[in-house]
Amino acid sequence: MLFTLYPFLIFLLISVPATVSACEDDCMDGVTNAFLQKYNQGPLENAITKIAQEVSGLIPSHPSLATSRNLIQPILDAYQNVAFENLRTSIFPDFFHGKCQQNGIIPPGCPNPDCPVVCGTPGSLVHFYPKLRYIVYNSTRHSLSMFTNPRSKPYQQALQAVEDAANSANGPERRSLRFFPRSLLDPYDQPETKVKSEHPDIPSQFLAIISGMLSRLLEACGGSAEGSTNGLPLCSWEQQLKEYILSYP
Ligand SMILES: *[C@@H]1O[C@H](CO)[C@@H](O)[C@H](O)[C@H]1NC(C)=O
C-alpha cells in the first residue's frame, strides 16, 4: 500500500508550492494607482499648468488658466483613459513577473523584503526601484505622446477648441458666419476663410506648445531619465512608495 502511494507522495511534495508570496492583483492595482496619483498631483499637474499658460497666451482674450486648461481637456481625458492600463502592463508583466529564483535557488531577500532577482514580488520591486521609477516615467510619457500627436482625435478636438476660442474673441457676429454653409456665400468673399485667417499661426503655435508637453514632464520630474539610480528625482517618492509596496505580503 505504502509502495503504491509513494510516487503520489513525491508528486505532492514537489507540486505543493512554498508559501505563495507575489504581487497579486490588489498589489498590482495598488502600486499602479500609487504612481498614477503621485504623477497626477505633482509633475503632470505642473506640466499641464505650464501648457495651459502657454495656450492662454495664444488666444487674444488671454482666458483664465481654468478656461485654457478646459480647451486641452480632450488630450488630458484621453491620457487618463489609457494611463492605468498602460502603466500596469509596463510594470506587470512587461518587466516584473515570475518566480524569484536564480539557478533554481531562492536568493536571500526573496521574495521580500529586498530581492535581487527580477520577479513578481514586492521585494523585487523594491530592489529594482530605479528601474521601476524609469518604467513608470516611460509609460507616462508614452501614454501622453499618443494624444500630443497631432494626428490623434483628442489633439484635433483641442486645436479646434482653441481656434474657436480665438475666433470668438473677435466678436460673436463674425463667428456666427462660420456656421453658414460655404455654398450660400459669395465664393469671392468667404467670411469663414477670413475669420480663420485672422489667426493663421494658431495651428503651428499650438503644435509647438503641445509638442513641449513631454519635455515639460521631464523637467517636472527633475530631468535625467536614463533609468539610472539618480534620475528623475522629483518622480521618485522612493521611501514612501517602498514602504507602501512592502505593505503587500
Ligand atoms: C518605453 O515605453 C515604450 C512604450 O511602452 C516601450 O515600447 C519601450 O520599450 C520603453 N522603453 C524602455 C527603455 O523601457
Side-chain angles (χ1 to χ4, degrees):
M1 184 62 182
L2 187 58
F3 186 74
T4 52
L5 270 179
Y6 192 60
F8 177 67
L9 286 176
I10 287 180
F11 171 77
L12 261 188
L13 284 176
I14 292 171
S15 66
V16 173
T19 339
V20 177
S21 182
C23 192
E24 308 277 2
D25 274 337
D26 58 340
C27 165
M28 293 193 247
D29 288 349
V31 170
T32 304
N33 271 322
F35 275 106
L36 276 186
Q37 265 180 34
K38 288 292 188 191
Y39 266 84
N40 280 341
Q41 290 162 2
L44 200 51
E45 182 59 31
N46 292 345
I48 291 167
T49 301
K50 289 198 171 127
I51 296 290
Q53 277 162 353
E54 291 174 13
V55 167
S56 172
L58 195 55
I59 299 167
S61 63
H62 297 312
S64 72
L65 212 54
T67 301
S68 307
R69 188 194 174 104
N70 219 29
L71 300 175
I72 56 167
Q73 198 63 40
I75 294 173
L76 309 180
D77 287 347
Y79 162 77
Q80 293 295 344
N81 284 338
V82 303
F84 178 85
E85 213 50 50
N86 285 353
L87 181 54
R88 195 187 196 269
T89 307
S90 303
I91 308 175
F92 320 96
D94 283 1
F95 191 78
F96 292 98
H97 64 269
K99 296 204 171 90
C100 308
Q101 291 185 350
Q102 242 165 12
N103 307 319
I105 296 169
I106 301 174
C110 297
N112 297 319
D114 188 333
C115 172
V117 180
V118 173
C119 56
T121 67
S124 185
L125 296 182
V126 163
H127 186 87
F128 295 99
Y129 197 83
K131 180 69 185 176
L132 174 59
R133 174 171 57 216
Y134 177 74
I135 290 171
V136 175
Y137 166 77
N138 184 47
S139 170
T140 305
R141 188 177 198 286
H142 176 74
S143 295
L144 266 178
S145 74
M146 293 168 67
F147 309 110
T148 57
N149 182 334
R151 285 189 301 268
S152 75
K153 199 170 168 213
Y155 176 97
Q156 286 164 12
Q157 287 170 335
L159 172 59
Q160 186 63 59
V162 168
E163 287 187 306
D164 286 351
N167 288 333
S168 73
N170 294 323
E173 69 288 344
R174 286 189 151 199
R175 189 172 62 132
S176 66
L177 288 174
R178 296 184 76 239
F179 299 105
F180 277 95
R182 256 171 207 256
S183 59
L184 291 181
L185 302 165
D186 181 341
Y188 297 105
D189 180 25
Q190 294 183 2
E192 179 177 25
T193 311
K194 271 190 187 164
V195 167
K196 288 214 162 189
S197 70
E198 296 208 1
H199 308 288
D201 295 339
I202 283 193
S204 64
Q205 288 174 344
F206 185 72
L207 178 62
I209 292 171
I210 298 298
S211 302
M213 185 76 145
L214 301 184
S215 41
R216 292 289 188 201
L217 181 68
L218 178 58
E219 203 175 276
C221 281
S224 50
E226 286 123 40
S228 61
T229 310
N230 298 316
L232 307 167
L234 303 177
C235 290
S236 183
W237 312 285
E238 181 162 350
Q239 199 190 338
Q240 191 191 354
L241 289 189
K242 275 184 174 176
E243 276 172 31
Y244 175 74
I245 289 166
L246 286 176
S247 73
Y248 288 97

